[in-house]
Amino acid sequence: MSEETAPGFGTLTIHAGAQPDPTTGARTVPIYQTTAYAFNSTEHAAKLFALQEFGNIYTRIMNPTQGALEERVAALESGTAALAVASGHAAAMLTFHAIMRPGDNFIAADKLYGGNINQFNHSFKSFDWHVRWADALDPQAAKSLIDDKTKAIYIESLANPGGVITDLEGWAAVAKEAGIPLIVDNTMATPFLCKPIDFGADVVLHSMTKFMGGHGNSMGGVIVDGGSFDWSASGKYPMLSEPRPEYNGVVLHETFGNFAFAIACRVLGLRDLGPAIAPMNCFQILTGLETLHLRMERHCENALIVAKFLESHEAVSWVSYAGLEGDDNYAKHQKYMPKGAGSVFTFGLKGGHEAGVKLIESMKLFSHVANIGDTRSLAIHPASTTHSQLTDEQKIAAGASPDTVRLSIGIEDVKDIIADLDQAMKA
Ligand SMILES: *Cc1c(COP(=O)(O)O)cnc(C)c1O
């Protein structure tokens, strides 16, 4: 389809992956609350189990409500296929499970969600998978960290909580030169603001718990296959390039081509590790996605107004929001996500740690929660919560110094958001 006849983003958020139910005519995607699916015959069952035919087997591996969600997210991200899982963390886990062997390493940008920093530093180490931290702002410097056992590069498009926008093309060039995939966590930007695959990402991940679902009611994660990476070229990715004994010697990359990565995450990772998403959560996230384009517009519009208000406030020492013209990330915001710089950002209070805690306690409209990307405005003091398990050095590197307050600006009337901040700062 040409650009002109291809459906627009807002149309895809509502229609991609969903048709009226063929048996009942139900117009929204039903919640297929079932664990198993009847086979047509023993031959049919055998073919499904051998990956010779696509079809439903068991809800740990696939489910029709989940399938609709996967198709929709793949369409929104311009990927070849997607796999929805129980959480954003499960998406990262299954992605690395398909890529890493014991003793391997990967490069990760140092501006990341605190939960991923923990996951990489501690749990992954027990699998003998080793993270090598690189300066998020300097992809060239990461080259010296890459060796024969380096299997991937992992970055966030818009980094949580520091409001840093990474140079996607710069990172993609380093990954390409090294012959390894670029994995991008696009949770904070969503495909409405930025499609990392257009800038060279090979795999895109989301915590759909955040803006994708958007209403703070359902956990979910997703892996999107960009279809661009050659998993067979180097011999470094045996899960994809060598025969699978349990599937009669099928070679996943050979058989499934440009969506082999999504298949590997499903038929090996999800099958064996098990973090399946509930059909009900898929339904909630599908419903949330229908307004993604409208919500993101309002989130970004409100966030920019609030950031400007804070910038001129006497109690505030700094504001880090890529949408502000003077911000270090402004040029990258214009290049990679010109429709908006997201709605999560940080600012510093002149009163430091204590003032941060007091502000959070005085807020009335804002909720004090660990989440982001809700319709509601949310606030947190990262140094004492989400990033508390990190060392002081890691906190500062991750953009969570003691005076930092993180806001996730909701879609309420902006005058009410500002009034709440104003009264809390006076307190
Ligand atoms: C929340 C979050 C995650 C983890 O997702 P869960 O759904 O909480 O497991 C990963 N990356 C980013 C950027 C996040 O905000």
Side-chain angles (χ1 to χ4, degrees):
M1 259 185 279
S2 74
E3 281 274 307
E4 265 166 49
T5 54
F9 189 89
T11 305
L12 291 175
T13 65
I14 296 163
H15 291 285
Q19 295 83 35
D21 184 62
T23 46
T24 62
R27 188 60 192 89
T28 59
V29 176
I31 305 164
Y32 288 94
Q33 193 67 33
T34 182
T35 50
Y37 308 85
F39 304 120
N40 304 334
S41 64
T42 48
E43 195 197 337
H44 175 225
K47 280 190 171 161
L48 293 178
F49 274 91
L51 301 182
Q52 285 168 3
E53 199 177 309
F54 287 109
N56 296 315
I57 299 176
Y58 187 59
T59 288
R60 172 155 35 77
I61 307 170
M62 76 277 275
N63 169 282
T65 316
Q66 177 189 345
L69 174 61
E70 289 165 347
E71 231 183 280
R72 186 167 300 174
V73 176
L76 294 176
E77 284 285 10
S78 300
T80 52
L83 173 67
V85 292
S87 67
H89 265 22
M93 177 66 213
L94 295 196
T95 295
F96 282 103
H97 176 259
I99 287 176
M100 306 287 283
R101 307 284 81 216
D104 285 348
N105 68 71
F106 63 98
I107 310 292
D110 60 3
K111 298 276 186 299
L112 289 191
Y113 173 66
N116 286 118
I117 297 177
N118 274 330
Q119 186 185 38
F120 296 171
N121 276 338
H122 303 295
S123 289
F124 278 16
K125 205 172 266 173
S126 65
F127 305 134
D128 204 12
W129 302 346
H130 302 277
V131 61
R132 295 183 173 179
W133 295 108
D135 182 351
L137 299 175
D138 192 356
Q140 290 303 316
K143 282 185 182 173
S144 64
L145 301 172
I146 296 174
D147 63 21
D148 283 355
K149 288 192 169 292
T150 306
K151 295 295 175 71
I153 296 178
Y154 184 99
I155 62 174
E156 278 180 27
S157 50
L158 175 59
N160 172 2
V164 168
I165 295 174
T166 49
D167 174 16
L168 290 168
E169 285 178 348
W171 282 104
V174 172
K176 206 170 181 84
E177 191 186 315
I180 57 180
L182 177 65
I183 303 163
V184 179
D185 180 339
N186 199 33
T187 298
M188 300 260 288
T190 82
F192 175 75
L193 296 179
C194 176
K195 291 206 234 173
I197 290 170
D198 289 349
F199 297 107
D202 299 295
V203 176
V204 174
L205 306 183
H206 282 277
S207 166
M208 298 195 291
T209 313
K210 315 294 170 53
F211 293 99
M212 297 289 263
H215 294 72
N217 59 19
S218 302
M219 300 290 302
V222 71
I223 301 165
V224 183
D225 190 340
S228 45
F229 190 75
D230 185 343
W231 300 100
S232 305
S234 65
K236 280 186 186 175
Y237 305 96
M239 298 262 277
L240 285 118
S241 67
E242 284 175 20
R244 293 303 309 181
E246 72 273 61
Y247 291 121
N248 297 323
V250 164
V251 175
L252 295 179
H253 188 212
E254 197 178 280
T255 306
F256 298 104
N258 70 358
F259 59 100
F261 189 73
I263 293 278
C265 292
R266 186 190 304 277
V267 305
L268 303 176
L270 187 56
R271 181 198 63 178
D272 291 350
L273 302 176
I277 186 168
M280 178 68 187
N281 285 28
C282 295
F283 173 81
Q284 299 276 24
I285 296 169
L286 275 165
T287 305
L289 280 175
E290 293 186 4
T291 55
L292 179 67
H293 53 310
L294 303 177
R295 287 186 288 106
M296 288 310 289
E297 241 169 43
R298 179 63 71 86
H299 275 298
C300 293
E301 187 184 305
N302 281 358
L304 183 58
I305 295 169
V306 173
K308 285 182 177 163
F309 162 77
L310 290 171
E311 204 180 25
S312 62
H313 199 285
E314 60 190 13
V316 173
S317 47
W318 54 268
V319 179
S320 170
Y321 182 59
L324 293 172
E325 263 173 58
D327 192 88
D328 292 346
N329 287 279
Y330 187 76
K332 278 180 283 176
H333 150 53
Q334 292 294 311
K335 174 170 181 181
Y336 290 114
M337 44 193 83
K339 281 195 274 187
S343 91
V344 180
F345 65 93
T346 50
F347 69 99
L349 284 162
K350 286 185 182 147
H353 189 109
E354 240 167 88
V357 173
K358 182 92 184 98
L359 177 85
I360 299 267
E361 283 173 355
S362 310
M363 287 173 150
K364 297 190 176 104
L365 181 67
F366 277 82
S367 309
H368 180 207
V369 299
N371 193 21
I372 56 166
D374 194 328
T375 50
R376 281 154 278 267
S377 287
L378 316 172
I380 203 164
H381 180 234
S384 58
T385 54
T386 49
H387 287 62
S388 62
Q389 290 161 50
L390 307 180
T391 65
D392 282 351
E393 221 169 54
Q394 287 171 331
K395 277 180 196 157
I396 291 166
S401 56
D403 63 334
T404 300
V405 174
R406 183 185 79 193
L407 303 179
S408 174
I409 301 299
I411 58 176
E412 303 98 334
D413 286 14
V414 73
K415 73 171 174 61
D416 297 325
I417 300 174
I418 287 182
D420 192 40
L421 276 169
D422 201 32
Q423 70 77 22
M425 270 191 298
K426 283 190 181 120

